[in-house]
Amino acid sequence: MKLSNAEEDLMNYIWELKTAFMKDLLEAYPEPKPAKTTVATLLKRMTDKGVIAYHTYGKSRQYYPLIKKKDYFSTHVKGLIKNFFNDSASQFASFFTQETDLTKEELEDLKALIDNEIKKK
């Protein structure tokens, strides 16, 4: 499942807030805030896609995520590696480390993360 950029933005607020009413979501947006109808449309689409659900309290709805941020991100990274790097994590890592202008410290941190994963295997 793929969310539009606007849906991803809204989903990030829902993940951050854990549960949210419409007013909470509108408050989370920076200025200029989107129209309430725009957010309502996005929430409807996201509910239809099965990424969020809601509890009803009178006329209000409290939204909550049905998928974890980590799971959503993981799916997209795997798709990126498959579609753009011939399903090769090594090609992705090479591109990532060479094209993102990481500092020496960031590269060392990345190396430490990889070394820790190797130890777990």
Side-chain angles (χ1 to χ4, degrees), residues 15-83:
W15 279 320
E16 183 179 319
L17 296 168
K18 306 221 182 349
T19 62
F21 290 96
M22 173 69 79
K23 67 177 184 62
D24 302 321
L25 295 169
L26 288 170
E27 288 173 7
Y29 276 94
E31 294 293 340
K33 296 185 183 293
K36 185 176 180 178
T37 54
T38 300
V39 175
T41 299
L42 293 171
L43 289 167
K44 169 80 170 92
R45 284 189 206 155
M46 293 164 64
T47 301
D48 291 345
K49 289 180 180 183
V51 296
I52 63 170
Y54 57 85
H55 297 292
T56 304
Y57 298 98
K59 293 183 179 183
S60 297
R61 294 178 175 175
Q62 184 181 39
Y63 295 92
Y64 58 92
L66 292 176
I67 59 170
K68 295 177 183 173
K69 186 174 188 175
K70 178 185 172 191
D71 294 340
Y72 180 77
F73 185 69
S74 177
T75 299
H76 289 283
V77 169
K78 288 176 184 174
L80 178 76
I81 291 170
K82 181 179 181 184
N83 295 326

